[in-house]
Amino acid sequence: TVFIDPQGNFQKVTEAVGGRYNFLRLGAGTALNVLDLVHDHPAAQISHVIVMLEALLGRPLAVQEKGAVDRALLDLYDDEADLEAMPRLEDLAGALHGSTLAADLERFVDGSLHEIFNAHTTLSFDLDRHYPIVTFDVSDLEGEFQPALVFALLSGVELAIRARRGAQQPTNIILDEFFILSRIPALAQAAGALAKRVRAWKVGIQCLDQNWDTFNTPAGRQILENTLVKAIMRVDDTAAPAIGEALGLTGHHAEVILTADVGEGILIVENKPYHVYFQASRDEVEMLTPYARQREEPIPLPARRR
């Protein structure tokens, strides 16, 4: 299981089971090259870079700009897989010299962000199968560039999985606070496409969020349509009607999401809803509740509502 954790919520779980916890931060010699190769096919790689550029700039690229980037990258990329030989943003900006896009990239090439985005990647996206859980904590990367960095991390994970796809090792990727990517439509669409792409490699992606509006977008609805399993916990009465209509919940199931207790909800598997209860075992409660180990009385488990 791979956690991509934007708020630092999974450290306790990771350490409790002997997982690997990676706290990522930029600066102080830590850098990310958005031109790194993550796809084998040139068209897919160029599309990936365009998405990354849109995330960094906070705006969509015009058709003419995409064409210019396409031509420039075809010239810049060669057959080398060496990260030290990868082109950098300054190379792309140089190839686009005189354009509005080149001027927009100046902040990342020569400005205050050049040490982060105009250098060869030093972040490690290694997935060591010796650990049951590998967590990437990106809570220190909050700000306008967090979406781009989260997607770069997701792409790095995909690259590591693709390198061993022949082994068909089941992998579960959990992407918390999905709204971070959904703020940029191109990133949300790319995440949805990634989920479809890796399914054949026995890789599943979970997109988690507390806000229904995150999925009430064209890209979000596409993700829902291609999701085999959906879980809905308790929601308020402002979101419930839209959720019920979008997911086809009626009668008892529609009532559950309004009145659900802790751990209670609706699980939709292949479009069929089930009323379910998620309950931690006693061992899990003890493992994840340090203060309880200092008490002599038994740890109470939540009562199951019937």
Side-chain angles (χ1 to χ4, degrees), residues 33-37 41-53 61 65-79 85-96 101 105:
N33 183 6
V34 299
L35 270 61
D36 280 347
L37 284 174
H41 194 280
Q45 173 61 26
I46 290 171
S47 294
H48 167 78
V49 173
I50 288 173
V51 168
M52 292 296 295
L53 292 176
L61 267 62
E65 291 176 321
K66 291 180 180 179
V69 170
D70 191 301
R71 291 188 297 272
L73 290 178
L74 285 176
D75 291 336
L76 289 173
Y77 284 127
D78 55 29
D79 295 330
M86 283 294 113
R88 295 177 294 166
L89 273 181
E90 65 178 25
D91 301 311
L92 177 59
L96 300 171
L101 181 54
L105 291 174

Side-chain angles (χ1 to χ4, degrees), residues 2-291:
V2 179
F3 285 122
I4 298 180
D5 181 10
Q7 293 192 334
N9 294 327
F10 293 106
Q11 181 173 1
K12 191 183 293 185
V13 175
T14 305
E15 294 175 347
V17 298
R20 179 171 179 173
Y21 188 78
N22 303 281
F23 182 72
L24 303 184
R25 61 177 16 156
L26 293 179
T30 304
L32 172 70
N33 183 6
V34 299
L35 270 61
D36 280 347
L37 284 174
V38 297
H39 292 283
D40 300 328
H41 194 280
Q45 173 61 26
I46 290 171
S47 294
H48 167 78
V49 173
I50 288 173
V51 168
M52 292 296 295
L53 292 176
E54 290 181 335
L56 284 182
L57 297 173
R59 67 170 179 86
L61 267 62
V63 174
Q64 295 86 349
E65 291 176 321
K66 291 180 180 179
V69 170
D70 191 301
R71 291 188 297 272
L73 290 178
L74 285 176
D75 291 336
L76 289 173
Y77 284 127
D78 55 29
D79 295 330
E80 296 292 332
D82 181 8
L83 288 179
E84 290 299 320
M86 283 294 113
R88 295 177 294 166
L89 273 181
E90 65 178 25
D91 301 311
L92 177 59
L96 300 171
H97 181 69
S99 67
T100 301
L101 181 54
D104 289 346
L105 291 174
E106 197 68 24
R107 179 186 183 191
F108 307 96
V109 173
D110 292 320
S112 60
L113 300 168
H114 77 279
E115 291 185 356
I116 298 173
F117 293 108
N118 190 36
H120 296 297
T121 297
T122 58
L123 290 176
S124 175
F125 301 139
D126 180 47
L127 301 183
D128 192 332
R129 299 293 297 200
H130 291 95
Y131 297 101
I133 292 177
V134 177
T135 294
F136 296 97
D137 182 339
V138 294
S139 59
D140 193 57
L141 309 181
E142 289 189 7
E144 60 181 308
F145 303 115
Q146 192 182 43
L149 295 166
V150 169
F151 185 71
L153 177 57
L154 194 60
S155 300
V157 170
E158 180 192 3
L159 182 61
I161 292 172
R162 186 188 296 116
R164 59 181 186 225
R165 62 181 178 265
Q168 292 283 298
Q169 296 169 314
T171 303
N172 184 29
I173 301 173
I174 299 178
L175 182 57
D176 197 18
E177 304 296 346
F178 185 67
F179 79 91
I180 292 172
L181 290 188
S182 72
R183 287 180 295 183
I184 300 177
L187 294 186
Q189 293 170 1
L194 171 62
K196 294 180 65 175
R197 205 161 49 239
V198 300
R199 190 180 299 170
W201 309 339
K202 294 188 177 180
V203 176
I205 298 180
Q206 296 183 30
C207 299
L208 312 182
D209 205 89
Q210 297 179 359
N211 193 336
W212 166 247
D213 288 340
T214 295
F215 299 99
N216 195 24
T217 63
R221 287 190 290 272
Q222 185 179 28
I223 290 173
L224 288 176
E225 290 170 1
N226 288 282
T227 299
L228 297 178
V229 179
K230 308 173 187 69
I232 309 98
M233 312 305 282
R234 182 168 181 166
V235 297
D236 62 31
D237 55 6
T238 59
I243 294 174
E245 181 179 358
L247 302 181
L249 299 179
T250 59
H252 170 69
H253 297 115
E255 181 66 21
V256 168
I257 64 174
L258 278 170
T259 61
D261 204 344
V262 175
E264 184 181 7
I266 296 297
L267 194 68
I268 301 176
V269 182
E270 295 183 347
N271 296 321
K272 186 174 181 179
Y274 298 89
H275 184 183
V276 296
Y277 298 84
F278 297 95
Q279 182 169 300
S281 69
R282 189 173 300 278
D283 287 344
E284 289 170 329
V285 173
E286 291 177 347
M287 178 174 63
L288 299 175
T289 313
Y291 72 86

